Amino acid sequence: MITLRPANERGTANFGWLDSKHSFSFGRYYDPEHMGFSALRVINDDSVAPGAGFATHGHRDMEIISYVLQGSIAHKDSEGNVEVLPAGEFQLMSAGSGITHSEYNASQTDPLTFLQIWIQPNTLGSSPGYQQKNFGQPVGLTPIATPTGENGTLHIKQNATLSQLILAPNSQLTYTIAAGRKVYVHQVAGELMVESQRLAAGDGAKITERHTITFKNELDDQSTALLFDLP
């Protein structure tokens, strides 16, 4: 089964300095039909004004992934990590037993756009952790976060895998889904055919009860998506 989550039906929040679109219930946006998907709890598409950002706040027992699409994030946390994440960078912060952090637009003149992703962990109360990496833009399916952290991937505390899916113009890729697993696809840029369903930027697709799924890029521009393989 393939169920679409259209971009224009997402929840919204606008505070002037922040314009956010929520794929799942978050903050003041509540929709009982969109409370998350398997262990995937949050996908927020955030645009942050120059110099603005999220002041120091706390989290616990959540795997928090940031993927910078435009601009750069200035990050600081209670574990002593002070970093700048440029466009194309993935960050995985394991909140574990508790962590505080701040995230600001590192520029005073340029906008910041990033995806904020929350995945519920399968272990509670573990030590907080921080990871950051740029995986480039290779064509095909590139693992970003895995349960083992193998082959240079980010180590996520859940039986889940996040991959970057990039298809060249007029190409396709077939993905095998293990028994009992679920897949969520979030379209980042371009368009993507998920079997017969078309995704544009910001759209999502919940995929269940499938053994394989075929992705096609039928356009003359590159297609970029995130693929979550979930328990």
Side-chain angles (χ1 to χ4, degrees):
M1 181 183 298
I2 302 172
T3 305
L4 294 188
R5 178 57 162 143
N8 61 4
E9 295 182 7
R10 293 178 293 179
T12 60
N14 194 315
F15 301 101
W17 63 272
L18 170 67
D19 183 9
S20 185
K21 298 175 177 62
H22 308 322
S23 295
F24 305 110
S25 294
F26 185 87
R28 299 176 184 175
Y29 168 63
Y30 172 75
D31 184 338
E33 295 186 3
H34 298 285
M35 296 299 295
F37 183 65
S38 180
L40 178 60
R41 182 63 187 82
V42 169
I43 300 180
N44 289 349
D45 191 342
D46 289 342
S47 296
V48 182
F54 301 89
T56 301
H57 59 284
H59 298 279
R60 64 180 299 128
D61 292 327
M62 192 65 69
E63 300 293 281
I64 300 173
I65 299 169
S66 296
Y67 176 39
V68 185
L69 305 178
Q70 178 187 17
S72 57
I73 295 175
H75 168 97
K76 184 177 182 179
D77 65 46
S78 54
E79 292 294 299
N81 299 295
V82 180
E83 302 288 348
V84 173
L85 286 77
E89 204 95 338
F90 285 88
Q91 176 200 77
L92 172 53
M93 186 179 71
S94 297
S97 58
I99 193 169
T100 61
H101 75 134
S102 62
E103 296 170 292
Y104 282 89
N105 185 337
S107 173
Q108 297 296 319
T109 57
D110 300 324
L112 162 67
T113 303
F114 72 104
L115 296 178
Q116 180 183 172
I117 299 159
W118 293 11
I119 295 176
Q120 295 172 322
N122 55 10
T123 58
L124 303 180
S126 58
S127 298
Y130 181 92
Q131 304 162 75
Q132 176 181 338
K133 187 173 181 178
N134 190 324
F135 292 83
Q137 296 284 305
V139 172
L141 195 66
T142 302
I144 302 298
T146 65
T148 60
E150 60 193 22
N151 299 321
T153 58
L154 307 178
H155 180 196
I156 189 168
K157 295 173 182 176
Q158 177 55 267
N159 184 19
T161 299
L162 166 62
S163 298
Q164 178 178 260
L165 174 62
I166 296 180
L167 290 184
N170 302 298
S171 66
Q172 69 178 54
L173 180 147
T174 297
Y175 184 76
T176 300
I177 304 172
R181 303 286 291 182
K182 301 177 181 178
V183 167
Y184 190 89
V185 177
H186 179 86
Q187 188 65 16
V188 175
E191 292 190 359
L192 183 69
M193 295 298 297
V194 181
E195 297 293 343
S196 61
Q197 307 281 355
R198 185 180 299 276
L199 299 187
D203 291 342
K206 301 175 183 178
I207 302 167
T208 59
E209 300 174 356
R210 303 269 314 199
H211 299 297
T212 62
I213 192 82
T214 297
F215 304 107
K216 296 180 182 179
N217 179 10
E218 299 180 338
L219 301 183
D220 293 330
D221 296 317
Q222 183 172 279
S223 173
T224 302
L226 297 181
L227 186 152
F228 300 83
D229 191 313
L230 302 160

